[in-house]
Coordinates of all heavy atoms in Angstrom, one line a residue:
V1 N 104.4 162.0 283.8 CA 104.1 162.6 282.5 C 102.7 162.1 282.0 O 102.3 162.6 280.9 CB 105.2 162.3 281.5 CG1 106.5 162.7 282.0 CG2 105.2 160.8 281.1
K2 N 102.0 161.3 282.7 CA 100.7 160.8 282.2 C 99.8 162.0 281.9 O 99.6 162.8 282.8 CB 100.1 159.8 283.2 CG 100.8 158.4 283.2 CD 100.1 157.5 284.2 CE 100.8 156.1 284.2 NZ 100.2 155.2 285.2
G3 N 99.1 161.9 280.8 CA 98.2 162.9 280.4 C 98.8 164.1 279.8 O 98.1 165.0 279.2
R4 N 100.1 164.2 279.8 CA 100.8 165.3 279.1 C 101.7 164.9 278.0 O 101.8 165.7 277.0 CB 101.7 166.1 280.2 CG 101.0 166.6 281.4 CD 101.9 167.5 282.3 NE 103.0 166.7 282.8 CZ 104.2 167.0 282.6 NH1 104.6 168.0 281.9 NH2 105.2 166.3 283.2
F5 N 102.3 163.7 278.1 CA 103.2 163.2 277.0 C 102.5 162.1 276.2 O 101.7 161.3 276.8 CB 104.5 162.7 277.6 CG 105.4 163.7 278.2 CD1 105.0 165.1 278.4 CD2 106.7 163.4 278.5 CE1 105.8 166.0 278.9 CE2 107.6 164.3 279.1 CZ 107.1 165.6 279.3
T6 N 102.8 162.0 275.0 CA 102.3 160.9 274.1 C 103.4 160.4 273.3 O 104.1 161.1 272.6 CB 101.2 161.4 273.2 OG1 100.1 162.0 274.0 CG2 100.6 160.2 272.4
I7 N 103.6 159.0 273.4 CA 104.6 158.4 272.6 C 103.9 157.7 271.4 O 102.8 157.2 271.6 CB 105.4 157.3 273.4 CG1 106.6 156.7 272.6 CG2 104.5 156.2 273.9 CD1 107.5 155.9 273.5
S8 N 104.6 157.8 270.3 CA 104.0 157.1 269.1 C 105.2 156.6 268.2 O 106.3 157.0 268.4 CB 103.1 158.1 268.3 OG 103.9 159.2 267.9
R9 N 104.8 155.8 267.3 CA 105.9 155.1 266.5 C 105.4 155.0 265.0 O 104.2 154.7 264.8 CB 106.2 153.8 267.0 CG 107.3 153.0 266.2 CD 107.5 151.6 266.7 NE 108.3 150.8 265.8 CZ 108.6 149.6 265.9 NH1 108.2 148.9 267.0 NH2 109.3 148.9 265.0
D10 N 106.2 155.3 264.1 CA 105.9 155.1 262.7 C 107.1 154.4 262.1 O 108.2 155.0 261.9 CB 105.7 156.5 262.0 CG 105.4 156.3 260.5 OD1 105.1 155.2 260.1 OD2 105.5 157.3 259.8
K11 N 106.9 153.1 261.9 CA 108.0 152.2 261.4 C 109.2 152.3 262.3 O 109.1 151.9 263.5 CB 108.4 152.6 259.9 CG 107.3 152.4 258.9 CD 107.7 152.7 257.5 CE 106.5 152.4 256.5 NZ 106.9 152.8 255.1
N12 N 110.3 152.8 261.9 CA 111.5 152.8 262.7 C 111.8 154.2 263.3 O 112.9 154.5 263.7 CB 112.7 152.4 261.9 CG 112.6 151.0 261.4 OD1 112.0 150.1 262.1 ND2 113.1 150.7 260.2
T13 N 110.8 155.0 263.4 CA 110.9 156.3 264.1 C 109.9 156.4 265.3 O 108.8 156.0 265.1 CB 110.6 157.5 263.1 OG1 111.6 157.4 262.0 CG2 110.7 158.8 263.8
V14 N 110.4 156.9 266.4 CA 109.6 157.0 267.6 C 109.5 158.5 267.9 O 110.5 159.3 267.8 CB 110.1 156.2 268.8 CG1 111.5 156.7 269.2 CG2 109.1 156.2 269.9
Y15 N 108.3 158.9 268.4 CA 108.1 160.3 268.7 C 107.7 160.5 270.1 O 107.1 159.5 270.7 CB 107.0 160.9 267.8 CG 107.2 160.8 266.3 CD1 106.8 159.7 265.6 CD2 108.0 161.7 265.6 CE1 107.0 159.5 264.3 CE2 108.2 161.6 264.3 CZ 107.7 160.5 263.6 OH 108.0 160.4 262.2
L16 N 107.9 161.6 270.7 CA 107.4 162.0 272.0 C 106.8 163.4 271.9 O 107.6 164.3 271.8 CB 108.5 161.9 273.1 CG 108.0 162.1 274.5 CD1 107.1 160.9 274.9 CD2 109.2 162.2 275.5
Q17 N 105.5 163.4 272.0 CA 104.8 164.7 272.0 C 104.7 165.1 273.5 O 104.1 164.4 274.3 CB 103.5 164.6 271.3 CG 102.6 165.9 271.4 CD 103.3 167.0 270.6 OE1 103.7 166.8 269.4 NE2 103.3 168.2 271.1
M18 N 105.3 166.3 273.8 CA 105.3 166.8 275.2 C 104.5 168.1 275.3 O 104.9 169.1 274.7 CB 106.7 167.0 275.6 CG 107.6 165.8 275.5 SD 109.2 166.0 276.2 CE 109.9 167.2 275.1
N19 N 103.4 168.0 276.0 CA 102.5 169.2 276.2 C 102.5 169.6 277.7 O 102.9 168.8 278.5 CB 101.1 168.9 275.7 CG 101.0 168.5 274.3 OD1 101.7 169.0 273.4 ND2 100.1 167.6 273.9
S20 N 102.1 170.8 277.9 CA 102.0 171.3 279.3 C 103.3 171.1 280.0 O 103.3 170.6 281.2 CB 100.8 170.6 280.0 OG 99.6 170.8 279.4
L21 N 104.4 171.5 279.4 CA 105.7 171.2 280.0 C 105.9 172.0 281.3 O 105.4 173.1 281.4 CB 106.8 171.5 279.0 CG 107.0 170.5 277.9 CD1 107.7 171.0 276.7 CD2 107.8 169.3 278.5
K22 N 106.6 171.4 282.2 CA 106.9 172.0 283.5 C 108.4 172.1 283.6 O 109.2 171.3 283.0 CB 106.4 171.1 284.6 CG 104.9 170.8 284.5 CD 104.5 169.8 285.6 CE 103.0 169.4 285.5 NZ 102.6 168.5 286.5
P23 N 108.9 173.0 284.5 CA 110.3 173.1 284.7 C 111.0 171.8 285.1 O 112.1 171.5 284.8 CB 110.4 174.2 285.8 CG 109.2 175.0 285.6 CD 108.1 174.1 285.2
E24 N 110.2 171.0 285.9 CA 110.8 169.7 286.3 C 110.9 168.7 285.2 O 111.5 167.6 285.4 CB 110.0 169.1 287.4 CG 108.5 169.0 287.2 CD 107.7 170.2 287.8 OE1 108.2 171.3 287.6 OE2 106.6 169.9 288.4
D25 N 110.4 169.0 284.0 CA 110.7 168.2 282.8 C 112.0 168.4 282.2 O 112.5 167.7 281.3 CB 109.6 168.4 281.8 CG 108.2 167.9 282.2 OD1 108.1 166.9 282.9 OD2 107.2 168.7 282.0
T26 N 112.7 169.4 282.7 CA 114.0 169.8 282.1 C 115.0 168.6 282.3 O 115.2 168.1 283.4 CB 114.6 171.0 282.8 OG1 113.8 172.2 282.5 CG2 116.0 171.3 282.4
A27 N 115.6 168.2 281.2 CA 116.5 167.0 281.3 C 117.1 166.8 279.9 O 116.6 167.4 278.9 CB 115.8 165.8 281.7
V28 N 118.1 165.9 279.8 CA 118.5 165.3 278.5 C 117.6 164.1 278.3 O 117.5 163.2 279.1 CB 120.0 165.0 278.5 CG1 120.4 164.4 277.2 CG2 120.8 166.2 278.8
Y29 N 117.0 164.1 277.1 CA 116.1 163.0 276.7 C 116.8 162.1 275.7 O 117.4 162.6 274.8 CB 114.8 163.6 276.1 CG 113.9 164.2 277.1 CD1 114.2 165.3 277.8 CD2 112.7 163.5 277.5 CE1 113.3 165.9 278.8 CE2 111.8 164.0 278.4 CZ 112.1 165.2 279.1 OH 111.3 165.7 280.0
Y30 N 116.7 160.8 276.0 CA 117.4 159.8 275.2 C 116.3 158.8 274.7 O 115.4 158.5 275.4 CB 118.4 159.0 276.0 CG 119.5 159.8 276.6 CD1 119.4 160.3 277.9 CD2 120.7 159.9 276.0 CE1 120.4 161.0 278.5 CE2 121.8 160.6 276.5 CZ 121.6 161.2 277.8 OH 122.6 161.9 278.4

């Protein structure tokens, strides 16, 4: 996912920005 996903955090919330998604990214995300 390097170069496509970005993790960030604001206090007690974490985000995952996912760009250029591919079929192989299909999953349950935890």
Side-chain angles (χ1 to χ4, degrees):
V1 307
K2 284 181 180 177
R4 300 189 297 121
F5 290 12
T6 302
I7 188 171
S8 61
R9 177 183 170 185
D10 180 12
K11 295 183 181 178
N12 297 327
T13 300
V14 64
Y15 304 93
L16 187 67
Q17 177 66 45
M18 304 185 294
N19 299 327
S20 301
L21 282 160
K22 305 175 181 180
E24 51 264 44
D25 294 319
T26 295
V28 178
Y29 284 70
Y30 299 89

